[in-house]
Amino acid sequence: MSSVTFLNTPQALRELADQPHSPCQCSLQHCAGWESVSDTVWPAQHMTHVATLRDPDVHEPTFEEQHTQGTRYESADAPVVLKFFPYNRCDVYACGKCQQHALRYTEFGGYYVDPRARRLNPELIID
């Protein structure tokens, strides 16, 4: 069982993301959309695992995506929709240097594992 909070509403995630933060110069500054961020690039020494979007009661979350404005998975302006992929498989981290929040999940393919991250923009969180 995880010791971090399960955020199950857009409002709860917005409240977390709306906390004040400053610009950061870490490796996540380029992660407006989903980007590959290997463990060697992930700024682990500055990141704190603060929440999860993974529903503990759902064994196999959907891979269906939600794009209300015709965006794509990698789009910087793609909506953050908690019940849809990849958000339903994410954990939320906070940077100790700037207090910026980031989402992180691991993409699994046939022969690869690809950790991905996206800075959390509260304006993109939708119901």
Side-chain angles (χ1 to χ4, degrees), residues 107-122:
E107 177 78 30
F108 293 98
Y111 297 102
Y112 70 92
V113 173
D114 187 10
R116 299 198 179 202
R118 180 180 184 188
R119 284 183 287 120
L120 184 55
N121 180 346

Side-chain angles (χ1 to χ4, degrees), residues 31-35 65 67 69-79 87 118 124:
C31 295
W34 287 107
E35 299 292 337
E65 297 180 30
H67 295 282
Q69 302 297 320
T71 57
R72 295 176 42 90
Y73 162 88
E74 70 279 357
S75 301
D77 60 344
Y87 307 99
R118 180 180 184 188
L124 297 176

Side-chain angles (χ1 to χ4, degrees), residues 19-125:
Q19 295 175 5
H21 62 273
S22 59
C24 189
Q25 298 304 312
C26 75
S27 58
L28 298 179
Q29 66 182 337
H30 71 280
C31 295
W34 287 107
E35 299 292 337
S36 294
V37 179
S38 68
D39 288 339
T40 58
V41 177
W42 177 254
Q45 69 276 17
H46 304 296
M47 303 304 284
T48 302
H49 188 193
V50 296
T52 187
L53 304 181
R54 301 169 191 234
D55 187 335
D57 295 329
V58 176
H59 176 67
E60 187 61 39
T62 184
F63 281 104
E64 185 178 345
E65 297 180 30
Q66 180 74 13
H67 295 282
T68 56
Q69 302 297 320
T71 57
R72 295 176 42 90
Y73 162 88
E74 70 279 357
S75 301
D77 60 344
V80 175
V81 191
L82 276 62
K83 304 246 185 279
F84 289 89
F85 180 80
Y87 307 99
N88 57 1
R89 297 168 184 264
C90 286
D91 290 309
V92 184
Y93 290 81
C95 177
K97 292 176 90 174
C98 68
Q99 288 66 53
Q100 172 84 38
H101 287 88
L103 301 171
R104 189 173 195 216
Y105 85 101
T106 302
E107 177 78 30
F108 293 98
Y111 297 102
Y112 70 92
V113 173
D114 187 10
R116 299 198 179 202
R118 180 180 184 188
R119 284 183 287 120
L120 184 55
N121 180 346
E123 295 173 4
L124 297 176
I125 301 168

